[in-house]
Amino acid sequence: MTKNDSLPVATYTDPKFFALEQRHIFSQTWAFAGFIEELKEEGDFLTVQAGLNNIVVILGADSQLLAFHNRCRHRGTQLVSGKGNTRGKLVCPYHDWTYNSQGELKSLPKQKQEFAGIDKACYKLTPANVGIWRGMIWAHPDINAMSLAQWFAPISPPSWPSRCRVTC
């Protein structure tokens, strides 16, 4: 390519190219979820689409942010959408599996008849990564992803005042 060349039009319009971007770029990076001011009370949540992953971010006890893949462990149904308050629980609209705000499976209908012997501890919501940078909430589908501070390090010069540094 020369200096004035651009990418072929198909890279902007081809659904196959978009699917590749979703899988290999946007599903493997930090996604802006919202502003910290949006989560004021324990149980407040917001959701964000991070590539192919929908993530729910919840303000937990002691003002700690928690993030989970926003899907029921039973059939993969999305638990919540947009913003709101969990009121201490996330209930799957499909089969009523109920999780607490820490992602633990607490109840499921007909457990004795249909799920006898199930170990609820094995069906916690899948954790995701969450961090705060300059008042903005960011989520990453991979709990073991590079820290948000490391991700933003190239644009966070050490000469900036301490009140502007990355917080996670």
Side-chain angles (χ1 to χ4, degrees):
M1 280 204 276
T2 65
K3 184 177 179 181
N4 293 324
D5 286 343
S6 60
L7 293 172
V9 172
T11 61
Y12 302 100
T13 59
D14 186 339
K16 290 179 185 174
F17 195 84
F18 177 70
L20 287 170
E21 286 180 323
Q22 288 295 308
R23 184 173 183 182
H24 297 287
I25 298 173
F26 300 113
S27 292
Q28 298 181 24
T29 192
W30 287 93
F32 171 73
F35 294 98
I36 195 62
E37 294 85 14
E38 296 176 70
L39 303 179
K40 297 175 183 171
E41 298 177 21
E42 185 176 341
D44 282 354
F45 73 86
L46 52 80
T47 60
V48 60
Q49 192 67 33
L52 300 174
N53 307 279
N54 192 270
I55 307 295
V56 58
V57 177
I58 303 170
L59 184 63
D62 301 323
S63 298
Q64 294 295 312
L65 290 180
L66 305 167
F68 304 100
H69 286 258
N70 187 16
R71 64 177 183 263
C72 181
R73 292 293 307 275
H74 180 220
R75 296 285 187 213
T77 301
Q78 184 172 315
L79 298 169
V80 291
S81 63
K83 300 174 186 176
N85 190 289
T86 65
R87 308 281 183 251
K89 61 185 177 180
L90 299 160
V91 181
C92 177
Y94 191 50
H95 283 127
D96 293 328
W97 282 37
T98 303
Y99 303 86
N100 65 16
S101 294
Q102 291 75 43
E104 300 166 327
L105 179 61
K106 291 313 232 180
S107 68
L108 50 153
K110 301 180 183 177
Q111 181 176 353
K112 290 180 182 176
Q113 300 92 334
E114 296 179 13
F115 300 100
I118 192 171
D119 183 357
K120 289 189 275 192
C122 294
Y123 290 91
K124 294 178 183 177
L125 295 178
T126 305
N129 209 329
V130 64
I132 301 170
W133 187 76
R134 295 188 183 172
M136 295 176 282
I137 301 168
W138 295 77
H140 195 297
D142 183 355
I143 190 67
N144 297 312
M146 170 192 305
S147 76
L148 189 60
Q150 287 175 299
W151 194 65
F152 274 118
I155 61 169
S156 295
S159 61
W160 287 0
S162 61
R163 63 181 163 72
C164 297
R165 291 194 191 274
V166 174
T167 59
C168 293

